[in-house]
């Protein structure tokens, strides 16, 4: 009969902790062996059995919990070229993180849930400290011990923006990892990097680490409009410090701080489709399939993170406090039309400061009743400056669009006038012209969007339920309160020149030999000045309840089966880029008001000779048209900019299995996700900037399988597969057609964009062991083939990337504490779209990175 392990003692010791079976200790076990000493066993090694990381909320290892998860050790990350969060894409079932744009853009999709802009759908914690802003998700991984990827809603314990899952990153502990690590690397496309990290345990009570890194990327893509310069080159530099103090045997203080500076080029978006009706078709058709834009783009970021973990071990419980601080200052410059035409540019400068606090009380591991109770909260100050500038081609485009549409739908007006004994009949076609003057139009925008979130949560697990050994039931509930506010200040000053003429075609001609038509100047050129401004404050708040229910049966400590029901949500917010769209609509409205007023004034002028050609009926018809065009609709800023929270229910069954005397690990799961108010990113109706909208409802059905097999002491095979069928079930979008009439389009039954139907990885590792005294200890060969697809890029499902895969490999030459690694990514040089979008009725894409070969050297002193 199996017996549940009960913790008797748990004390912090000089080497780390005392480890009891079934306990999650505060630190990993000591790792004093060489860099790549392989295990001499045919048993698959569970990462958590070798590197066990404490979290304030859980009591069991991941494979002992009712959830789907994947963990990566240092070796896993190195062998699979995991250098950032984006590198995890394809290595985890149903995880897709397209590598495009810059470090600002980290779009994480799991099981049909994801986000291109604004709030993330997947959370990120680093050393138990939450990263609130996804602009900070893409950071350097030079000092990382382990990564966990949890799939499915983690809202009960982790709250907002973990609806799709959670990524947990842990750095190395200076108590258990000693020495100085030096790493150098170089690769094709002019890539170089270097890092140094030192770990030192001063005494049984204090240890610290410090490190620094530098990386240069030469860039993969050329901009043909700027002398073929590499547009995605970049540099980053930074460092990290960590200090752990054990003032008492049951008290731990763990302090971390890191800083990064990044300066990147961007964005390598090439023109992929162009309509022949495009006003610039002749100028741009030669750029199809090329990256070609005239204005310089780039992204610069300062990122500072700090945190303090305090943990107190009492007799019957563990009390944790996690305090975090994040400072982010960045600037993005974008050639928003991504063509060689000088249409319009956009800048975005953010200044964000976030303070977070979480206090958690949990039971000791190994108890029949395990529980976790906590409170958390954070406050974020976020100031954003986002000016948009229309240049000469942009103003020409706006003016052409305005006048073409206006003249296209102005009808011919019948003319009949009595002149003495003659009756003059015919038709008149009006020629409308309204032009915004100047060489450029600047639209500034200043926004303050502070955010407050507080929460209280509890989760209990009852083991050996009803006396049935191995049967457990988990129930939990979290209440999140969120308060949003936006102070906005935007608008612009501009001038526009209006004129209206007419051409009367006489039928029949007035007299033989005389012209059959006459031009009249109805309204002479008139200049108007406009000053449009938006300044005010709006706010919004809401409460979310996030329950969780799970039933699990443990056959033994390594094999179980589970069923879970859980809810997660992604917070709402404000679309600050929507102000460009609002402004364009109000510019049209105000211009038409000026135009109508002036036109009616001229028509009613009895002394205007040109107006004598028009009878009273025709005049009233024109006046009616102008009054209709001049109607103003006041924009409701809150309704126009606010998007609601998205939430989903996840229903999942799964199993964790260890078989054949530990040689095979298998994790399998099936899920159904029901999502409401799904947030979709798309360009505003005017094409001016991306916005988030609520798309109604969708559902995702899928499954996951992960296998790892130790064939021999030297040979390991692994693989995973994820399937997601994610479709809209209730999504009807409204838009205005060319005539200004409101139309509806239904996307019901269409696939949700950016969600691969299939994700997979197949890989292996073989160790060539050398004889004692040889010049090498061993040679380790790793290879994997990973892929994703089909991926639909639009709600219309009219653009997609088919299933594709990339072959990657690494050879490591190991001797003691030194290693030389030779690696290759995308060995088959597979061509695929990493990203696609449509703007201004044009299609753009970023291609995936081509084959790259590199070498790195690592040593530890």
């Amino acid at each position: 009969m199996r017996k549940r392990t009960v913790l008797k003692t748990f004390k912090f010791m000089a080497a780390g902790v005392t480890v009891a079976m079934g306990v999650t200790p505060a630190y990993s076990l000591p790792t004093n062996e060489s860099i790549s000493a392989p295990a001499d066993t045919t048993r698959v090694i569970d990462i958590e059995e070798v590197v066990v990381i404490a979290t304030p909320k859980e009591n069991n290892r991941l494979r002992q919990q009712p959830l789907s998860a994947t963990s990566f050790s240092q070796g896993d990350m190195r062998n699979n070229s995991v250098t950032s969060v984006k590198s995890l894409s394809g290595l985890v079932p149903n995880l897709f993180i397209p590598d495009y744009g810059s470090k600002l853009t980290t779009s994480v999709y799991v099981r049909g849930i994801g986000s291109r802009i604004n709030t993330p759908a997947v959370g990120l914690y680093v050393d138990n400290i939450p990263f609130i802003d996804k602009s900070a998700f893409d950071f350097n991984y030079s000092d990382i011990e382990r990564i966990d990827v949890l799939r499915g809603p983690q809202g009960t314990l982790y709250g907002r923006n973990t609806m799709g899952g959670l990524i947990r990153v842990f750095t190395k502990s200076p108590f258990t990892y000693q020495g100085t690590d030096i790493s150098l690397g170089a690769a094709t496309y002019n890539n170089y990097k270097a890092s140094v990290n030192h770990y030192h345990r001063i005494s049984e009570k204090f240890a610290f680490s410090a490190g620094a890194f530098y990386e240069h990327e030469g860039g993969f893509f050329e901009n043909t409009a700027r002398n073929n310069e590499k547009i995605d080159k970049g540099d980053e530099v930074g460092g990290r410090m960590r200090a752990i103090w054990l003032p008492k045997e049951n008290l731990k203080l763990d302090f971390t701080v890191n800083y990064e500076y990044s300066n990147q080029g961007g964005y390598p978006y090439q023109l992929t489709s162009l309509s022949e009706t495009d006003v610039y078709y002749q100028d741009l058709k030669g750029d199809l399939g090329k990256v070609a834009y005239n204005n310089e783009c780039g992204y610069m970021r300062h990122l500072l993170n700090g945190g303090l973990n305090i943990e107190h071990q009492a007799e019957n419980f563990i009390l944790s406090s996690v305090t975090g601080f994040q400072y982010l200052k960045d600037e993005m410059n974008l050639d928003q039309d991504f063509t060689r035409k000088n249409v319009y540019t956009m800048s975005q400068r953010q200044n964000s400061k976030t303070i977070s606090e979480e206090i958690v009380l949990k039971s000791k591991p190994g108890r029949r009743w395990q529980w976790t109770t906590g409170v958390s909260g954070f406050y974020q100050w976020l100031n954003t400056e986002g000016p948009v500038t229309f240049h000469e081609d942009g103003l020409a485009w706006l003016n052409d669009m305005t006048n073409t549409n206006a003249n296209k739908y102005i009808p011919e007006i019948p003319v009949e006038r009595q002149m003495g004994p003659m009756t003059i009949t015919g038709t008149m076609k009006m020629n409308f012209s309204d032009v915004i003057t100047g060489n450029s139009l600047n639209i500034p925008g200043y926004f303050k969007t502070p955010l407050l979130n507080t929460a209280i949560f509890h989760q209990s697990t009852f083991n050996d339920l009803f006396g049935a050994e191995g049967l457990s039931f988990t129930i939990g509930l979290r209440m999140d309160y969120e308060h949003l506010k936006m102070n906005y200040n935007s608008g612009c000053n501009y001038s526009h020149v209006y004129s209206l003429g007419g051409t009367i075609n006489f039928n029949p001609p007035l007299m033989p030999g005389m012209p059959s038509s006459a031009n009249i100047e109805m309204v002479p050129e008139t200049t108007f000045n406009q000053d449009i401004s938006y300044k005010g404050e709006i706010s919004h708040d809401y409460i979310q309840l996030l329950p969780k229910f799970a039933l699990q049966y443990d056959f033994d400590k390594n094999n179980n089966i589970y069923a879970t029901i859980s809810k997660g949500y992604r917070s709402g917010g404000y679309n600050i880029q929507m102000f460009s769209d609002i402004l364009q609509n109000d510019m049209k409205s105000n211009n038409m008001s000026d135009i109508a007023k002036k036109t009616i004034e001229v028509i009613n002028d009895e002394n205007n000779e040109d107006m004598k050609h028009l009878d009273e009926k025709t005049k009233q018809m024109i006046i009616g048209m102008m009054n209709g065009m001049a109607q103003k609709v006041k924009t409701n800023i809150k309704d126009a900019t606010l998007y609601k929270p998205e939430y989903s229910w996840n229903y999942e069954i799964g199993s964790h299995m260890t078989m054949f005397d530990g040689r095979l690990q298998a994790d399998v799961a099936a899920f159904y996700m029901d999502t409401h108010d799904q947030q979709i990113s798309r360009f505003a109706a005017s094409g001016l900037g991306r916005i988030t909208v609520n798309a109604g409802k969708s559902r995702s059905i899928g499954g996951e399988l992960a296998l790892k097999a130790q064939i021999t002491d030297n040979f390991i095979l692994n693989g995973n597969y994820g399937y997601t069928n994610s479709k809209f079930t209730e999504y009807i979008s409204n838009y205005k057609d060319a005539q200004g009439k409101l139309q509806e389009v239904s996307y019901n039954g269409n696939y949700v964009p950016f969600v691969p139907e299939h994700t997979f990885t197949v890989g292996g590792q073989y160790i060539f062991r050398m004889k004692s005294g040889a010049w090498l200890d061993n040679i380790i060969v790793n290879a994997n083939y990973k892929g994703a697809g089909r991926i639909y890029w639009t709600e219309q499902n009219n653009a997609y990337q088919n299933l594709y895969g990339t072959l990657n490999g690494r050879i490591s030459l190991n001797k003691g504490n030194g290693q030389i690694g030779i690696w290759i990514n995308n060995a088959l040089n597979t061509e695929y779209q990493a990203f696609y979008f449509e703007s201004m009725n044009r299609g753009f894409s970023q291609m995936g990175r081509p084959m790259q070969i590199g070498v790195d050297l690592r040593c530890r002193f």
Side-chain angles (χ1 to χ4, degrees):
M1 177 180 293
R2 291 183 290 109
K3 293 184 179 180
R4 182 170 298 279
T5 302
V6 179
L7 178 68
K8 298 299 182 181
T9 60
F10 193 99
K11 298 181 179 179
F12 296 107
M13 305 297 288
V17 293
T18 299
V19 181
M21 184 178 297
V23 173
T24 304
Y27 310 114
S28 63
L29 297 177
T31 54
N32 296 319
E33 64 273 8
S34 63
I35 279 179
S36 60
D40 292 309
T41 177
T42 53
R43 179 178 178 275
V44 173
I45 301 299
D46 184 346
I47 295 172
E48 292 185 293
E49 293 181 279
V50 178
V51 181
V52 185
I53 304 293
T55 65
K57 300 172 184 178
E58 290 91 359
N59 282 311
N60 297 320
R61 301 204 308 261
L62 285 176
R63 297 189 76 244
Q64 295 174 336
Q65 297 179 39
L67 55 82
S68 297
T70 303
S71 295
F72 296 88
S73 66
Q74 296 177 66
D76 294 330
M77 288 183 279
R78 187 164 54 249
N79 294 333
N80 290 285
S81 298
V82 176
T83 56
S84 72
V85 68
K86 294 176 181 177
S87 308
L88 296 172
S89 186
L91 298 175
V92 178
N94 287 320
L95 175 69
F96 179 61
I97 311 176
D99 189 1
Y100 71 95
S102 67
K103 286 182 177 291
L104 172 70
T105 310
T106 305
S107 305
V108 187
Y109 295 83
V110 178
R111 296 181 173 182
I113 303 297
S115 168
R116 276 174 57 192
I117 61 172
N118 295 332
T119 54
V122 176
L124 175 68
Y125 277 62
V126 180
D127 288 333
N128 300 318
I129 297 165
F131 277 36
I132 305 300
D133 195 328
K134 77 182 187 71
S135 300
F137 276 23
D138 191 357
F139 64 94
N140 188 274
Y141 272 23
S142 63
D143 187 33
I144 303 304
E145 174 88 3
R146 171 181 160 186
I147 302 173
D148 297 333
V149 181
L150 288 61
R151 299 180 294 282
Q154 306 299 317
T156 304
L157 290 182
Y158 292 93
R160 70 193 298 272
N161 299 345
T162 59
M163 183 178 66
L166 178 69
I167 299 174
R168 302 190 309 203
V169 178
F170 300 96
T171 61
K172 298 173 184 176
S173 165
F175 257 106
T176 57
Y177 195 90
Q178 298 295 294
T180 301
D181 281 359
I182 297 177
S183 178
L184 301 172
T188 53
Y189 292 94
N190 198 28
N191 281 24
Y192 307 97
K193 62 181 179 180
S195 67
V196 56
N197 295 282
H198 178 70
Y199 309 86
H200 190 69
R201 186 172 62 203
I202 294 178
S203 69
E204 295 182 353
K205 292 189 175 183
F206 184 78
F208 77 94
S209 64
F213 68 88
Y214 170 77
E215 185 168 353
H216 170 77
E217 292 187 342
F220 295 89
F221 303 97
E222 295 179 346
N223 186 351
T224 60
R226 293 180 61 88
N227 298 319
N228 292 323
E229 67 177 16
K230 293 294 178 66
I231 57 174
D232 55 331
K233 59 187 177 182
D235 294 276
E236 63 175 0
V237 62
R240 182 190 306 274
M241 294 184 64
R242 184 176 180 183
I244 302 176
W245 181 36
L246 309 176
K248 298 180 181 180
E249 64 179 13
N250 62 348
L251 180 63
K252 179 189 74 169
L253 283 76
D254 187 349
F255 174 76
T256 61
V257 61
N258 72 283
Y259 167 78
E260 292 188 13
Y261 169 76
S262 302
N263 193 347
Q264 295 180 289
Y267 295 65
Y269 300 150
Q270 67 179 34
L271 184 65
T272 58
S273 63
L274 181 68
S275 172
E276 293 188 12
T277 60
D278 194 303
V279 65
Y280 297 124
Y281 176 76
Q282 294 299 328
D283 296 329
L284 300 180
K285 66 178 182 179
D287 288 336
L288 285 168
K290 301 176 183 178
V291 179
Y293 52 85
N294 59 301
N295 288 296
E296 187 173 358
C297 297
Y299 179 65
M300 180 275 295
R301 183 185 72 184
H302 296 272
L303 177 63
L304 175 68
N305 292 284
L308 175 63
N309 285 259
I310 302 175
E311 184 174 303
H312 171 69
Q313 298 271 349
E315 183 67 25
N316 296 310
F317 62 85
I318 301 172
L319 176 64
S320 301
S321 169
V322 181
T323 305
F325 172 76
Q326 184 174 93
Y327 171 73
L328 185 148
K329 181 181 180 181
D330 67 3
E331 179 176 347
M332 175 188 68
N333 293 296
L334 207 60
D335 187 336
Q336 190 77 16
D337 60 281
F338 296 109
T339 69
R340 63 177 67 245
K341 305 301 291 185
N342 205 21
V343 181
Y344 71 116
T345 57
M346 186 186 84
S347 294
Q348 177 180 284
R349 293 179 281 275
Q350 296 182 118
N351 191 310
S352 170
K353 294 177 282 291
T354 306
I355 295 177
S356 62
E357 175 63 37
E358 189 164 47
I359 299 174
V360 180
L361 195 66
K362 72 176 181 180
S363 62
K364 286 294 186 72
R367 307 297 173 88
R368 186 168 181 177
W369 175 34
Q370 295 177 341
W371 50 267
T372 300
T373 296
V375 294
S376 68
F378 73 84
Y379 189 85
Q380 181 182 63
W381 297 264
L382 176 57
N383 297 337
T384 305
E385 182 180 354
V388 174
T389 302
F390 283 88
H391 302 282
E392 58 268 24
D393 291 328
L395 291 179
W397 169 67
L398 288 174
N399 292 329
D400 181 79
M401 184 171 56
T402 299
N403 292 298
T404 298
N405 288 336
N407 285 306
K408 184 177 181 181
Y409 298 106
I410 292 179
E412 290 191 356
I413 299 174
V415 176
E416 182 177 325
R417 182 172 180 81
Q418 192 72 28
M419 296 184 66
M422 298 179 58
T423 300
I424 300 175
T425 62
T427 58
M428 184 180 71
K429 178 67 175 179
M430 290 188 290
N431 301 307
F432 176 96
S433 175
D434 185 43
V435 176
I436 299 173
T437 61
N439 294 322
S440 65
L441 175 64
N442 181 256
I443 306 172
Y446 306 92
F447 309 94
K448 294 182 179 180
T449 51
L451 173 62
L452 170 68
N453 178 279
T454 61
I456 182 171
F457 59 91
H458 176 85
Q459 180 172 295
S460 284
T461 298
F462 302 96
N463 295 307
D464 298 337
L465 192 65
F466 306 124
E469 189 175 358
L471 182 65
S472 63
F473 178 68
T474 299
I475 183 171
L477 180 65
R478 182 188 188 99
M479 183 178 73
D480 256 32
Y481 168 77
E482 190 146 304
H483 180 74
L484 314 169
K485 184 186 292 186
M486 179 171 66
N487 289 278
Y488 56 90
N489 185 359
S490 183
C492 69
N493 300 305
Y494 67 96
S495 298
H496 67 109
V497 176
Y498 165 64
S499 63
L500 182 66
T503 301
I504 299 178
N505 295 302
F506 302 112
N507 184 25
L510 296 177
M511 295 181 62
M514 293 186 67
S516 60
S517 64
N519 295 325
I520 62 172
E521 184 183 69
M522 300 178 67
V523 180
E525 283 194 356
T526 306
T527 301
F528 301 94
N529 298 313
Q530 279 287 352
D531 183 1
I532 302 177
S533 64
Y534 310 94
K535 190 172 183 179
E537 177 180 298
I538 55 177
S539 63
H540 181 67
D541 56 6
Y542 53 82
I543 292 175
Q544 286 283 333
L545 297 177
L546 306 172
K548 178 180 179 178
F549 309 94
L551 188 66
Q552 179 171 309
Y553 180 72
D554 297 333
F555 301 101
D556 53 46
K557 69 175 184 178
N558 294 317
N559 294 275
N560 58 57
I561 187 171
Y562 67 87
T564 301
I565 301 174
S566 57
K567 181 186 177 184
Y569 87 102
R570 179 150 54 121
S571 59
Y574 297 106
N575 286 304
I576 62 174
Q577 289 191 23
M578 192 66 185
F579 278 87
S580 296
D581 198 63
I582 295 171
L583 180 64
Q584 188 189 43
N585 290 331
D586 287 351
M587 285 174 64
K588 292 179 181 178
S589 176
N590 287 4
N591 288 5
M592 291 312 304
S593 179
D594 291 338
I595 290 167
K597 183 178 179 180
K598 182 64 178 179
T599 303
I600 293 172
E601 175 187 316
V602 170
I603 288 177
N604 288 330
D605 184 1
E606 295 181 355
N607 298 319
N608 190 320
E609 291 295 326
D610 288 325
M611 293 300 103
K612 293 180 180 180
H613 289 285
L614 308 181
D615 59 23
E616 191 61 29
K617 181 180 179 181
T618 303
K619 288 182 180 180
Q620 293 305 316
M621 181 184 298
I622 297 174
I623 290 172
M625 288 171 51
M626 289 295 169
N627 282 328
M629 296 168 65
Q631 291 182 0
K632 284 189 176 182
V633 178
K634 186 176 181 180
T635 302
N636 186 308
I637 298 297
K638 185 173 183 178
D639 291 345
T641 60
L642 180 69
Y643 57 92
K644 299 181 292 185
E646 171 187 354
Y647 68 93
S648 68
W649 285 92
N650 180 66
Y651 307 88
E652 180 176 341
I653 58 173
S655 179
H656 306 293
M657 296 170 286
T658 303
M659 300 171 286
F660 303 111
D661 196 26
R663 295 189 181 190
L664 176 66
Q665 281 186 0
D667 299 301
V668 61
F671 63 86
Y672 176 89
M673 294 191 75
D674 184 22
T675 304
H676 296 249
D677 293 324
Q678 182 151 11
Q679 295 174 12
I680 296 293
S681 302
R682 69 184 186 197
F683 275 82
S686 63
L688 308 181
R690 295 177 299 170
I691 61 172
T692 297
V693 298
N694 294 103
K697 300 178 182 179
S698 71
R699 64 100 184 105
S700 296
I701 302 173
E704 299 166 351
L705 174 65
L707 299 171
K708 187 174 184 180
Q710 184 94 35
I711 308 302
T712 69
D713 283 349
N714 301 321
F715 187 31
I716 297 177
L717 288 176
N718 62 78
N720 69 67
Y721 170 73
Y723 171 77
T724 299
N725 184 288
S726 184
K727 292 186 176 182
F728 293 114
T729 57
E730 187 178 310
Y731 180 19
I732 296 177
S733 179
N734 297 319
Y735 72 98
K736 288 185 178 180
D737 62 16
Q739 288 79 20
K741 295 181 180 179
L742 193 65
Q743 303 288 344
E744 289 187 349
V745 57
S746 174
Y747 298 120
N748 294 348
N750 285 13
Y751 288 93
V752 176
F754 284 83
V755 178
E757 188 172 14
H758 307 279
T759 58
F760 65 90
T761 302
V762 178
Q765 174 181 282
Y766 194 87
I767 303 172
F768 295 91
R769 302 176 190 271
M770 303 301 169
K771 295 181 180 180
S772 178
W775 65 285
L776 287 177
D777 293 339
N778 56 70
I779 299 175
I780 302 179
V781 179
N782 289 88
N784 71 68
Y785 186 80
K786 62 179 183 179
R790 171 181 291 191
I791 308 165
Y792 288 96
W793 300 118
T794 63
E795 295 100 311
Q796 297 88 348
N797 290 178
N798 58 354
Y800 56 84
Q801 168 62 54
N802 278 321
L803 182 70
Y804 69 94
T806 60
L807 178 64
N808 314 281
R810 179 185 176 90
I811 299 175
S812 300
L813 311 177
N814 304 294
K815 178 66 176 181
N817 286 330
Q819 180 184 89
I820 299 176
I822 303 169
W823 54 267
I824 183 169
N825 289 336
N826 195 6
L828 302 179
N829 206 27
T830 302
E831 292 188 1
Y832 62 94
Q833 286 184 339
F835 176 58
Y836 174 89
F837 67 96
E838 295 176 351
S839 176
M840 300 171 66
N841 295 317
R842 302 166 185 153
F844 298 88
S845 69
Q846 177 172 334
M847 301 305 293
R849 292 184 174 183
M851 179 178 65
Q852 186 179 28
I853 302 173
V855 59
D856 55 57
L857 292 83
R858 300 177 62 247
C859 62
R860 187 172 69 194
F861 300 99

